[in-house]
């Protein structure tokens, strides 16, 4: 198993696998039925903060303290892209519901949207948070992105244009996790 703290775990869309990311700079893929670690993805130079499966389960994205997001092919184990552009640790990563985009958030206070296949940034960074972004998620209908930050706010962005959809939603303390309801009408 991992040789350092495990910072994140996620089930594959078909619930057959679990991906875990660790301080040991690796992502491990586990068989849910047997508990066997059958694939290890290595390439980051610092701890892994977040992992996400694509909607098809064919790819994994990982966010790291090394300022990068890496994309991995689950079947081959190959690294297919390195997404570079954040200027500080990347704390969170998520796929859009169609799997065409990857969303990341960082200690550089920005949210970035990437082409999931080419690895290129789509548009400018989404700016508005004044502290680190700890959570990003795409709404189930694909129309919105939500982000949560150490600055005590949640922000909602238009997933296509990157424009802020409203004033920040203020909370009493840091927002480390955000989620949409299944009908995309509520956020927590």
């Amino acid at each position: 198993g991992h040789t350092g703290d495990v910072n994140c775990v996620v089930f594959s869309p078909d619930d057959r696998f679990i991906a875990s990311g660790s301080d040991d700079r690796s992502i491990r893929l586990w068989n849910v039925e047997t508990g066997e670690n059958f694939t290890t993805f290595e390439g980051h130079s610092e701890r892994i903060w977040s992992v996400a499966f694509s909607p098809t389960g064919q790819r994994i994205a990982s966010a790291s303290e090394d300022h990068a997001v890496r994309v991995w092919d689950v079947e081959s184990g190959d690294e297919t892209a390195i997404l570079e552009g954040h200027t500080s640790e990347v704390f969170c990563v998520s796929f859009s519901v169609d799997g065409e985009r990857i969303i990341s958030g960082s200690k550089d206070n920005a949210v970035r949207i990437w082409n999931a296949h080419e690895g290129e940034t789509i548009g400018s960074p989404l700016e508005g948070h004044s502290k680190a972004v700890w959570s990003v998620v795409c709404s189930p209908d694909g129309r919105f992105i939500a982000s949560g930050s150490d600055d005590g706010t949640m922000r909602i962005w238009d997933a296509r244009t990157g424009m802020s959809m409203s004033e920040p939603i203020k909370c009493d303390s840091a927002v480390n996790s955000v989620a949409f309801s299944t009908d995309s009408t509520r956020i927590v």
Side-chain angles (χ1 to χ4, degrees), residues 26 37 123 145 155 180:
S26 73
N37 168 213
I145 293 168
R155 290 184 171 265
F180 278 99

Side-chain angles (χ1 to χ4, degrees), residues 133-147:
V133 177
W134 279 98
S135 183
V136 291
V137 66
C138 194
S139 63
D141 65 8
R143 295 176 51 215
F144 307 107
I145 293 168
S147 57

